[in-house]
Amino acid sequence: MQKREIVLDTETTGLDPKTDRIIEIGCVELLDGIPTGREYHQYINPQRSVNRLAARSVHGISDATLADKPVFAQVADAFLAFIGDTPLVIHNAQFDLGMLNAELRGCGRPLLDRSRAICTLTMAREKRPGCPASLDALCSHYKVCSDRNLHGALTDAKILAEVYIHLTGG
């Protein structure tokens, strides 16, 4: 049987799951460590303002971009169906799972168990102690092409999939 994993990234209005919201989710499916081409991507209306500094320098996503997008509750079931009960590969899993679980709790959906997360930040720190472990640093180390100027959930999930393959010896 093939091993299925989902590489996942989010973009948010800020860093606090108590007050901030998810504005973008990107997922890439792996089977036996190889991207299948199946992806999940969704922009989300956070029903609040996006942090202007983050919008300008991190992800480039503005309030205007998100105004006509669905709210999280409208996409939660499709997101959960895509990821199923598959292990989730996430760079800084604690952050993304905290944000996702806050959103899921808010719309009465089941929470994601932290035990299913494979944290590539932790993997990188264990594999390369004392070395920078940001996604950009790992791209540079593993020579993964990353010419992005801004973060994007789907773009970052695709990049992370390549980095994860390197981290796991692929």
Side-chain angles (χ1 to χ4, degrees):
M1 177 171 287
Q2 291 185 309
K3 177 182 174 186
R4 182 177 188 252
E5 297 167 305
I6 299 294
V7 182
L8 181 149
D9 188 55
T10 64
E11 298 302 331
T12 63
T13 61
L15 301 175
D16 186 350
K18 293 178 182 155
T19 57
D20 288 303
R21 307 289 302 273
I22 292 176
I23 58 173
E24 184 185 14
I25 301 172
C27 300
V28 174
E29 180 185 63
L30 302 179
L31 286 180
D32 294 331
I34 299 170
T36 66
R38 284 193 66 220
E39 299 171 350
Y40 175 87
H41 180 245
Q42 183 66 59
Y43 288 105
I44 299 164
N45 183 334
Q47 298 179 298
R48 60 154 290 170
S49 294
V50 175
N51 177 296
R52 289 177 198 238
L53 178 60
R56 187 172 55 251
S57 62
V58 178
H59 50 63
I61 302 169
S62 68
D63 293 336
T65 301
L66 302 171
D68 64 344
K69 303 302 184 252
V71 298
F72 187 87
Q74 293 172 307
V75 302
D77 291 334
F79 167 68
L80 291 171
F82 183 83
I83 65 170
D85 61 358
T86 302
L88 302 172
V89 177
I90 307 171
H91 199 73
N92 193 0
Q94 183 176 346
F95 174 77
D96 288 275
L97 286 180
M99 295 300 292
L100 285 163
N101 281 337
E103 294 282 5
L104 291 165
R105 186 178 300 108
C107 63
R109 299 307 195 286
L111 302 185
L112 301 174
D113 189 328
R114 292 184 186 273
S115 68
R116 71 188 277 192
I118 299 165
C119 183
T120 54
L121 180 61
T122 301
M123 288 177 73
R125 287 178 175 161
E126 290 171 357
K127 194 166 189 138
R128 304 178 63 235
C131 295
S134 70
L135 187 53
D136 287 333
L138 294 171
C139 285
S140 178
H141 176 74
Y142 291 115
K143 298 181 179 25
V144 171
C145 181
S146 171
D147 57 356
R148 67 189 165 119
N149 294 326
L150 296 170
H151 292 259
L154 185 58
T155 298
D156 287 359
K158 289 177 180 180
I159 292 168
L160 182 57
E162 289 185 57
V163 167
Y164 177 65
I165 291 166
H166 287 284
L167 284 170
T168 56

